[in-house]
Amino acid sequence: MNAPLAPDLPDEAAASRWEWESLNGSISEELRRHVAEIVAREAGRLTTLFYDTLLEDPEAAAMLSHELVSHRLNHSLRRWLKDLFPLEAAPDFAAAARLQRQVGEVHARIRVPLHLVTRGARVLKGGIARCLSQTSLPRDELVETLSYASHILDLAMEMMATAFIEGTERATRNEEAYRLFSLGQDASLEREAQRAALLEWLQSLLFAVAGRNEATRLHSIGRSEFGLWMQHRASVMFGGIPALQRITQLMREIDEEILPGIEQGCEIGPALQRLQAHANDIKFLIGDAFQAVVGLENGRDALTRTLNRRFMPSIFAREIAMATQSGRGFAALMIDFDHFKAINDTFGHSGGDVVLSRGAELIMDAVRLSDFVFRYGGEEFLVLLVEADANLAMRTAERIRATIDAAEFVVGEQRNLRVTTSIGVAVFEGHPDYTYLVERADKALYAAKKAGRNRVILG
Amino acid sequence: MNAPLAPDLPDEAAASRWEWESLNGSISEELRRHVAEIVAREAGRLTTLFYDTLLEDPEAAAMLSHELVSHRLNHSLRRWLKDLFPLEAAPDFAAAARLQRQVGEVHARIRVPLHLVTRGARVLKGGIARCLSQTSLPRDELVETLSYASHILDLAMEMMATAFIEGTERATRNEEAYRLFSLGQDASLEREAQRAALLEWLQSLLFAVAGRNEATRLHSIGRSEFGLWMQHRASVMFGGIPALQRITQLMREIDEEILPGIEQGCEIGPALQRLQAHANDIKFLIGDAFQAVVGLENGRDALTRTLNRRFMPSIFAREIAMATQSGRGFAALMIDFDHFKAINDTFGHSGGDVVLSRGAELIMDAVRLSDFVFRYGGEEFLVLLVEADANLAMRTAERIRATIDAAEFVVGEQRNLRVTTSIGVAVFEGHPDYTYLVERADKALYAAKKAGRNRVILG
């Protein structure tokens, strides 16, 4: 553990190095060499076993079957085994760690699912264990070699997995940035440009149909500028929206059913009608899709301007880390508007909306710039008070309750509607999982409701 | 493999279930029970071993030492072991899988590094192996039980890791969204609000100093609205910018050195001078930090409006997946402006900038809406042509080369500067790692340079 680490290895490698070195130090050189000889002798057969087993799995087969991959992998798998179990001397930690990191990074880049990699490792591990148990080693030495080989493979997999996860996090971060970047582009401009591209395709198609002869090949919508944009660009923007699948299906029907029919010259009239209907549907669905993403993808709740609860895990994790380090706590307030259903029933949803948006404003005014206000559910808000103890949290909660209790809401004709809130307070007690804190605040809120509403309870 | 999966288990569980069931089916009931009895008997000692080993590692100790965690974990670790090796009958796959998923999700939420979890698993595995080898089992049966126990633990760890990675990806996506959301807030408004908060703190401090008596406690900058905002909000926005560390340090010096000095009444004059200098530095650094993030965080290169190369991995991965599925390829063009250094030397950097921004415009005009143009390096651009074969790629590259060759650039006084480009072309050949494709395009570009520049070469 005292030896300096290679500069390109992360800190956690210190513990791995220690484990690696004590593992390699604890086995006799004779037994270590025995394992290495068996692995070297069987490397070819182990590689074949690896392939034969993984190719039975369709998901793995799809990844491994590419010729370039199998050629390179076959070679590098043998080398990988021989490097982990070298004949000459105990394997060098820094070299082994570097190799595992490289492999893990490639796996992350080409998105090999981790379970395929660990499955492959189990195949190799099982194969090596079988070879070892078929030798004439006595019981104790067999146990020792088995545990040594399995431990080496486990350590290698751990280093690979660590690099894999880092690479995956980096890739995920870039993907999310790209998705949000695509959304942040000027959506209305983009919508018009794409509508125009669709119309252009339709127009050139109609000209081709009007002047067609037998040799005319109609341009597919899938390969048009519009179609390419839909597949290669819009899928990021609209990812997960049902309209996207529907558009893809309509385009496929145009290309695979309608256009071939027109080319063959049969029933042109109905085919053109169907084409027009499909094109209109696509135009409509695109408008819809643009509308949907604009509404969905704000960091703030559109009605109340409070934070999207999607950010809760990140923000709580940061505050937990800071609180654990600094020893200064923080608190969560769970705020619920009392009898909200009655407000909705009496004044309609727009009345309820007024109460929520004005209420959220009052909450945000009652806390500091550095605190966080989330829309937690329908009429529930969650406030994270940074650097707060029970005292400050209770005072803030009471201020929020009193402010809302005293405020007059203007809902339609009624200019002085009064509403109240119940608030549950919970102070961070050190548990690293933020959901415990939120649960405690929620229970305290429930207690405040049960005790008659319009009150604050510390959980 | 035919049994229906529990609805909350992902597809890849089919292969795990098959492995799980054949593993549990291959060992005799007597031996399986033997392992289960040993684990049940030793569960307490294994848990102690787990703790004693992990607490030696400072990183693990920091996570495990919280009382709530150790209390819960101690209990759940014993249960976890007994559930994996139940006395009654072979463990049920669906139940085991669900449990591992839950554990993996919690680990992701509280950010336990994977290597700590795998290290813990190795401790347990080694402990169980030692217990088994201390029994009187004959050689063959010992090998069988050792491999069984290790295989069960490996499968459990795989399921846990899969859920862990999914949870980590989700968390990473939310974190990135939050970071970009924080950046997207109106930065100039935020800057003025924070400048005002800083001035407010300074003013109230000066009033307190002017009218102070011995009991006066001065308000720390760290706990002021400004200080809290810096720590809890700005750190997300400015994450990784050196100015942030410097501001934190200046604030710490104010709180830990300057203010205590003033409170003790010694050398007020110099202390106030130092305070003013610190406050000015902070104001200056914040202005700088805001400036830096505005420039850095665009999806597009500020000069050329081409895409940030940060998006390359995401976009290539998507195109590779689509191409592999559809069988339709795509291509990469690596474009470099010839003799760019000479342009910079003759016309200065602003001259070079004109060439790059006008050149990028010409490139973007020469490709389709669905293609991607990245700023790859100083004077290098990378174009991804979707759904393109060698033919289309070469025609497009040639069009770009000819357009730029024919264009007259207006650089300062000179209204008709001519520049040329060299272009390397590579067509996707099926390798899942996009860096191979980029490398081939790069080599082709190098060949085009060597062959005399102002030409296109297919790699």
Side-chain angles (χ1 to χ4, degrees):
Chain A
M1 217 165 166
N2 293 318
L5 291 172
D8 56 346
L9 292 177
D11 280 356
E12 79 264 12
S16 304
R17 172 194 281 271
W18 181 82
E19 196 175 333
W20 177 274
E21 284 171 358
S22 42
L23 173 65
N24 277 293
S26 69
I27 192 168
S28 76
E29 177 56 21
E30 194 195 332
L31 281 184
R32 194 202 61 71
R33 212 185 137 81
H34 183 71
V35 176
E37 278 165 2
I38 286 179
V39 170
R41 200 183 63 208
E42 302 290 335
R45 245 178 297 187
L46 288 167
T47 305
T48 309
L49 175 70
F50 175 90
Y51 268 96
D52 290 351
T53 314
L54 286 192
L55 285 175
E56 282 172 19
D57 179 339
E59 191 189 6
M63 289 231 135
L64 291 171
S65 56
H66 186 270
E67 195 202 335
L68 278 170
V69 177
S70 73
H71 177 74
R72 291 183 74 100
L73 187 56
N74 208 306
H75 173 78
S76 41
L77 195 58
R78 284 161 189 251
R79 253 212 70 187
W80 183 79
L81 280 170
K82 290 181 187 168
D83 281 352
L84 280 180
F85 300 98
L87 286 171
E88 309 75 36
D92 172 50
F93 173 74
R98 245 190 313 272
L99 178 61
Q100 311 319 316
R101 286 195 70 76
Q102 277 167 14
V103 177
E105 279 161 15
V106 171
H107 287 167
R109 198 155 60 221
I110 67 182
R111 281 141 219 240
V112 183
L114 183 72
H115 64 268
L116 292 186
V117 180
T118 48
R119 189 165 304 152
R122 283 197 299 280
V123 171
L124 296 173
K125 201 191 277 187
I128 294 175
R130 210 160 314 122
C131 295
L132 286 172
S133 64
Q134 281 160 6
T135 62
S136 57
L137 280 176
R139 189 178 184 279
D140 284 358
E141 300 190 338
L142 174 60
V143 169
E144 204 181 333
T145 54
L146 283 175
S147 127
Y148 170 75
S150 141
H151 204 142
I152 284 271
L153 285 169
D154 283 353
L155 273 173
M157 293 311 294
E158 172 183 290
M159 297 189 255
M160 204 182 278
T162 301
F164 174 80
I165 289 171
E166 283 168 21
T168 302
E169 283 181 32
R170 205 162 37 236
T172 308
R173 210 170 290 128
N174 287 338
E175 261 161 39
E176 181 64 11
Y178 175 54
R179 198 180 65 83
L180 293 172
F181 165 74
S182 299
L183 283 172
Q185 303 287 77
D186 188 340
S188 28
L189 195 72
E190 188 83 8
R191 183 178 51 200
E192 294 315 311
Q194 291 315 320
R195 207 175 267 175
L198 176 63
L199 290 173
E200 242 170 60
W201 167 79
L202 197 56
Q203 200 183 63
S204 80
L205 182 81
L206 291 174
F207 274 116
V209 171
R212 87 185 188 294
N213 56 44
E214 278 183 20
T216 306
R217 302 278 307 154
L218 300 172
H219 288 295
S220 94
I221 185 168
R223 316 296 299 270
S224 70
E225 282 252 335
F226 171 80
L228 291 176
W229 177 86
M230 274 306 303
Q231 290 162 59
H232 296 272
R233 291 283 173 111
S235 55
V236 174
M237 248 166 123
F238 300 146
I241 288 182
L244 187 66
Q245 278 188 316
R246 180 77 190 123
I247 294 175
T248 311
Q249 195 198 327
L250 287 168
M251 296 201 322
R252 199 178 310 126
E253 284 175 17
I254 292 176
D255 280 349
E256 292 173 9
E257 298 169 18
I258 304 178
L259 297 191
I262 297 176
E263 280 174 352
Q264 286 153 27
C266 46
E267 305 199 27
I268 300 283
L272 284 180
Q273 267 180 347
R274 196 168 163 222
L275 179 65
Q276 192 177 17
H278 271 48
N280 282 340
D281 282 356
I282 292 175
K283 259 188 285 180
F284 179 79
L285 287 165
I286 287 181
D288 244 26
F290 271 103
Q291 204 95 46
V293 294
V294 168
L296 267 180
E297 278 303 329
N298 257 311
R300 293 192 184 277
D301 174 54
L303 175 64
T304 64
R305 308 297 301 145
T306 53
L307 289 166
N308 194 321
R309 68 177 276 176
R310 159 175 202 208
F311 297 149
M312 276 177 56
S314 310
I315 293 172
F316 271 92
R318 287 173 53 81
E319 291 300 325
I320 287 175
M322 282 196 230
T324 307
Q325 216 187 2
S326 71
R328 291 197 296 272
F330 66 92
L333 317 183
M334 188 71 89
I335 306 172
D336 190 84
F337 282 80
D338 296 327
H339 301 298
F340 189 74
K341 198 180 164 302
I343 299 172
N344 262 339
D345 289 349
T346 315
F347 302 97
H349 279 289
S350 62
D353 284 357
V354 169
V355 169
L356 290 178
S357 70
R358 177 79 187 116
E361 251 176 65
L362 293 171
I363 295 172
M364 285 190 279
D365 285 349
V367 300
R368 298 161 297 178
L369 274 177
S370 50
D371 299 323
F372 299 85
V373 182
F374 303 93
R375 174 110 185 241
Y376 187 76
E379 68 264 25
E380 266 187 314
F381 294 88
L382 188 139
V383 178
L384 190 166
L385 298 173
V386 305
E387 308 212 354
D389 53 13
N391 197 347
L392 176 63
M394 286 301 282
R395 270 188 290 132
T396 309
E398 178 52 31
R399 183 164 64 238
I400 292 171
R401 189 206 58 74
T403 310
I404 291 174
D405 191 22
E408 301 191 332
F409 289 75
V410 181
V411 179
E413 297 292 286
Q414 180 155 358
R415 310 201 64 78
N416 54 358
L417 175 70
R418 304 289 288 270
V419 299
T420 61
T421 52
S422 300
I423 305 183
V425 177
V427 177
F428 176 62
E429 287 188 341
H431 199 291
D433 187 346
Y434 80 95
T435 58
Y436 285 90
L437 181 68
V438 173
E439 216 171 87
R440 275 196 293 126
D442 213 27
K443 278 193 186 140
L445 165 63
Y446 182 74
K449 290 272 182 195
K450 268 202 107 172
R453 298 188 174 81
N454 192 23
R455 69 194 62 212
V456 176
I457 285 190
L458 179 66
Chain B
M1 218 163 168
N2 293 319
L5 291 172
D8 56 345
L9 293 175
D11 281 357
E12 79 264 13
S16 304
R17 172 194 281 269
W18 180 82
E19 196 175 333
W20 178 273
E21 284 172 357
S22 43
L23 173 63
N24 277 294
S26 70
I27 192 168
S28 75
E29 177 57 21
E30 194 194 330
L31 281 183
R32 193 201 62 71
R33 213 186 134 81
H34 183 72
V35 176
E37 278 165 1
I38 286 178
V39 170
R41 199 182 63 210
E42 303 289 336
R45 244 177 297 186
L46 288 167
T47 305
T48 309
L49 175 71
F50 175 92
Y51 269 96
D52 290 351
T53 314
L54 286 193
L55 285 175
E56 282 172 19
D57 179 340
E59 191 189 5
M63 289 231 136
L64 290 172
S65 57
H66 186 271
E67 194 201 335
L68 279 170
V69 177
S70 73
H71 178 74
R72 291 182 74 100
L73 188 55
N74 209 304
H75 173 78
S76 43
L77 195 57
R78 284 160 190 251
R79 254 212 68 187
W80 183 78
L81 280 169
K82 288 180 189 171
D83 281 353
L84 280 180
F85 300 99
L87 287 170
E88 309 77 35
D92 171 52
F93 173 74
R98 246 190 313 271
L99 177 62
Q100 311 319 316
R101 286 195 70 77
Q102 276 167 14
V103 176
E105 279 161 15
V106 171
H107 287 165
R109 196 155 63 222
I110 66 182
R111 283 141 217 241
V112 183
L114 183 72
H115 64 269
L116 292 187
V117 181
T118 48
R119 190 166 302 151
R122 284 197 299 280
V123 171
L124 295 174
K125 199 189 278 187
I128 294 175
R130 211 162 312 120
C131 295
L132 286 172
S133 65
Q134 281 160 6
T135 61
S136 57
L137 280 176
R139 187 180 187 278
D140 284 359
E141 299 189 339
L142 174 60
V143 168
E144 203 181 335
T145 55
L146 284 174
S147 126
Y148 171 75
S150 139
H151 204 144
I152 284 273
L153 284 169
D154 283 354
L155 272 173
M157 294 311 294
E158 172 183 290
M159 298 190 253
M160 204 181 279
T162 301
F164 174 80
I165 289 171
E166 283 168 21
T168 302
E169 282 180 30
R170 204 161 41 234
T172 308
R173 210 169 292 130
N174 287 338
E175 260 161 38
E176 182 64 12
Y178 175 54
R179 198 180 67 83
L180 294 173
F181 165 74
S182 299
L183 284 171
Q185 302 288 79
D186 187 342
S188 27
L189 195 71
E190 187 83 10
R191 183 177 51 201
E192 294 315 312
Q194 292 314 321
R195 205 174 268 175
L198 176 62
L199 290 172
E200 242 170 59
W201 167 80
L202 198 57
Q203 199 183 62
S204 79
L205 183 82
L206 291 174
F207 274 115
V209 171
R212 88 184 186 300
N213 57 44
E214 276 183 23
T216 306
R217 303 279 308 155
L218 299 172
H219 287 295
S220 93
I221 186 169
R223 314 295 299 269
S224 70
E225 282 253 335
F226 171 79
L228 291 178
W229 177 86
M230 274 307 302
Q231 289 162 59
H232 296 271
R233 292 282 174 113
S235 55
V236 174
M237 249 166 119
F238 300 146
I241 288 181
L244 187 65
Q245 278 189 315
R246 180 78 189 121
I247 294 175
T248 310
Q249 196 198 328
L250 288 167
M251 295 201 323
R252 198 178 310 124
E253 285 175 18
I254 292 177
D255 281 347
E256 291 173 8
E257 299 168 18
I258 305 178
L259 296 191
I262 298 176
E263 278 173 353
Q264 287 153 27
C266 47
E267 307 200 26
I268 301 282
L272 283 180
Q273 267 180 348
R274 198 170 161 221
L275 179 65
Q276 191 176 21
H278 272 49
N280 283 339
D281 282 356
I282 292 175
K283 261 189 285 182
F284 178 78
L285 287 166
I286 287 182
D288 244 27
F290 271 103
Q291 204 94 46
V293 293
V294 169
L296 268 181
E297 277 303 329
N298 258 311
R300 294 193 183 277
D301 175 54
L303 174 64
T304 65
R305 308 296 302 147
T306 52
L307 289 166
N308 193 320
R309 68 177 273 176
R310 162 176 197 204
F311 297 149
M312 276 176 55
S314 310
I315 291 172
F316 271 94
R318 286 174 53 81
E319 291 301 326
I320 287 175
M322 283 197 233
T324 307
Q325 215 187 3
S326 71
R328 292 196 295 271
F330 66 92
L333 317 184
M334 189 70 90
I335 306 171
D336 191 84
F337 282 80
D338 296 326
H339 301 298
F340 189 74
K341 197 179 167 302
I343 299 171
N344 262 338
D345 290 349
T346 316
F347 300 96
H349 280 288
S350 63
D353 283 356
V354 168
V355 169
L356 288 179
S357 70
R358 176 80 188 114
E361 251 176 63
L362 293 172
I363 295 173
M364 285 190 278
D365 286 348
V367 301
R368 298 160 298 177
L369 275 177
S370 50
D371 298 323
F372 300 85
V373 182
F374 302 93
R375 175 107 184 242
Y376 188 77
E379 68 265 26
E380 264 186 316
F381 294 87
L382 188 138
V383 177
L384 189 167
L385 297 173
V386 304
E387 309 213 354
D389 54 13
N391 198 349
L392 176 64
M394 287 301 283
R395 269 188 292 134
T396 309
E398 179 52 32
R399 183 163 67 238
I400 293 171
R401 188 208 58 75
T403 309
I404 291 175
D405 191 22
E408 301 191 332
F409 291 75
V410 181
V411 178
E413 297 292 285
Q414 179 154 359
R415 313 203 59 81
N416 55 358
L417 175 69
R418 302 289 289 268
V419 301
T420 61
T421 53
S422 301
I423 305 183
V425 178
V427 177
F428 176 62
E429 287 187 340
H431 199 291
D433 187 346
Y434 80 94
T435 58
Y436 285 89
L437 181 68
V438 173
E439 215 171 88
R440 275 196 293 128
D442 212 29
K443 279 193 184 139
L445 165 63
Y446 183 74
K449 290 272 183 197
K450 269 201 107 171
R453 297 189 175 80
N454 192 20
R455 68 194 64 212
V456 176
I457 284 190
L458 179 66

